[in-house]
């Protein structure tokens, strides 16, 4: 299994495309799943997911799959189950301190993420703690169901572009800092602005004088 895990990380770009294609198929099947009942299809899909992902990624079926955000390296294979980066005990060569014969899953994850399209951004997103109540459930089914619900909401919305923008902004806020320091205004720009304001005030003050008619010369 370990050799297959390393193979999946080395070919993370291929598996990224495979996952995206699978997601589209699952979302397209949402009406079928809804008609049959998500509770009924949960078990067979979870069994299939366990077999496929167990072979390819040594999946632990946590129910909250983040493979697309961790370079196709499952963080649940970490002996400490760390979901947001390696611990401080990574040994020389990137090996695990608990299992010295195994490379750190986060070292592998970073290498896999650099091969993916947006992997370097996604791997920086902070993941929430594992919800143990979802263990054994199908993350494929849950994610596709959420995506299908989002698409239906966009169709019902008067302005779908606003919802897309809102979600993109929320995602950017996870990647970028919540605030950024403002750059200082260049001195040259401030000087030009001050000159323009002074000139404007001068013109306003001088215009009434120019509009007054000339006084006739006094008679002797």
């Amino acid at each position: 299994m370990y050799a297959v895990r390393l193979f999946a990380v080395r070919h993370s770009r291929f598996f990224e495309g495979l996952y995206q294609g699978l997601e589209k198929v699952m979302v397209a099947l949402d009406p079928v799943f809804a008609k049959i009942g998500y509770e009924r299809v949960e078990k067979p899909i979870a069994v299939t997911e366990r077999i496929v992902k167990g072979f390819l990624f040594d999946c632990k079926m946590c129910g909250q799959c983040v493979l697309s955000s961790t370079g196709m390296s499952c963080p649940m294979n970490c002996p400490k189950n760390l979901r947001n980066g390696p611990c401080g005990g990574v040994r020389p060569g990137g090996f695990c301190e608990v299992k010295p014969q195994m490379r750190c899953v986060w070292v592998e994850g970073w290498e896999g993420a650099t091969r993916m399209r947006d992997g370097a951004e996604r791997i920086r997103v902070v993941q929430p703690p594992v919800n143990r109540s979802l263990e054994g459930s199908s993350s494929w089914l849950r994610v596709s169901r959420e995506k299908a619900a989002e698409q239906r909401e966009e169709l019902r919305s008067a302005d779908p572009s606003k919802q897309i923008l809102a979600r993109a902004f929320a995602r950017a806020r996870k990647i970028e800092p919540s605030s950024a320091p403002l750059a200082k205004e260049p001195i040259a720009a401030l000087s030009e602005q001050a000159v323009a304001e002074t000139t404007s005030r001068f013109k306003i003050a001088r215009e009434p004088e120019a509009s007054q008619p000339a006084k006739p010369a006094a008679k002797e």
Side-chain angles (χ1 to χ4, degrees):
M1 291 296 182
Y2 182 58
V4 179
R5 270 166 52 188
L6 297 181
F7 173 84
V9 171
R10 288 196 301 270
H11 297 84
S12 58
R13 182 70 175 267
F14 167 76
F15 285 104
E16 178 188 24
L18 194 65
Y19 254 59
Q20 290 173 349
L22 176 63
E23 180 182 285
K24 290 179 181 178
V25 172
M26 296 284 286
V27 170
L29 290 173
D30 172 70
V32 179
F33 294 152
K35 189 171 184 178
I36 297 173
Y38 271 93
E39 295 77 12
R40 293 182 179 180
V41 299
E42 168 70 35
K43 187 174 181 179
I45 291 180
V47 170
T48 304
E49 184 175 344
R50 182 186 295 275
I51 294 171
V52 174
K53 289 168 58 179
F55 174 72
L56 290 173
F57 312 109
D58 201 6
C59 172
K60 306 304 179 186
M61 288 297 289
C62 68
Q64 301 130 93
C65 186
V66 290
L67 283 169
S68 60
S69 298
T70 57
M72 295 297 164
S73 176
C74 178
M76 299 306 290
N77 287 315
C78 170
K80 301 178 183 180
N81 289 165
L82 298 180
R83 303 273 288 186
N84 288 292
C87 67
V90 180
R91 296 189 173 189
F95 289 91
C96 175
E97 69 170 349
V98 179
K99 297 181 178 180
Q101 73 280 5
M102 181 186 78
R103 290 197 79 201
C104 171
V105 297
W106 280 100
V107 172
E108 292 290 342
W110 180 259
E111 292 178 1
T114 57
R115 299 184 182 102
M116 297 167 71
R117 291 179 181 85
D118 300 320
E121 290 183 3
R122 290 200 299 267
I123 200 170
R124 291 185 171 92
V125 176
V126 177
Q127 302 295 335
V130 177
N131 184 351
R132 297 293 178 181
S133 66
L134 295 175
E135 286 184 356
S137 63
S138 172
S139 61
W140 288 353
L141 193 62
R142 191 181 63 261
V143 170
S144 63
R145 188 177 187 178
E146 291 172 355
K147 293 277 187 181
E150 288 177 3
Q151 290 182 5
R152 288 195 299 271
E153 187 63 28
E154 287 175 8
L155 292 174
R156 286 196 296 265
S157 173
D159 191 354
S161 61
K162 289 184 179 180
Q163 290 197 2
I164 296 172
L165 181 61
R167 285 203 306 273
F169 182 79
R171 179 175 176 273
R173 279 284 148 254
K174 292 179 181 179
I175 299 172
E176 300 296 334
S178 58
S179 62
L182 296 175
K184 293 183 178 179
E185 195 74 21
I187 296 175
L190 291 173
S191 302
E192 291 177 5
Q193 184 180 358
V195 170
E197 289 177 355
T198 304
T199 306
S200 299
R201 286 198 299 269
F202 177 75
K203 286 180 178 178
I204 292 170
R206 297 289 295 177
E207 280 175 2
E209 296 181 5
S211 61
Q212 291 178 0
K215 295 182 179 180
K219 294 182 180 180
E220 293 182 358

